[in-house]
Amino acid sequence: MWITDGIGWISARNNLKETFDEMEHIYCIKELDEGIFNKILK
């Protein structure tokens, strides 16, 4: 699982591209505030 501050989406673009290919769960802090864990853990 990777959680970024949102700004990381821009500064780590190449790393995120590679990660999207390998990792199922990539989220930003805003998604945590919106309750993403409640949605994915059901």
Side-chain angles (χ1 to χ4, degrees):
M1 179 179 295
W2 185 339
I3 301 172
T4 178
D5 61 3
I7 296 170
W9 294 106
I10 297 168
S11 63
R13 184 173 294 151
N14 291 333
N15 290 340
L16 282 169
K17 164 94 174 78
E18 294 174 14
T19 303
F20 270 116
D21 294 339
E22 300 295 326
M23 191 176 291
E24 181 178 352
H25 298 283
I26 302 173
Y27 305 105
C28 69
I29 292 173
K30 181 180 178 196
E31 291 173 305
L32 294 177
D33 290 341
E34 294 172 350
I36 191 68
F37 283 130
N38 291 332
K39 294 174 185 174
I40 64 172
L41 295 177
K42 283 186 176 184

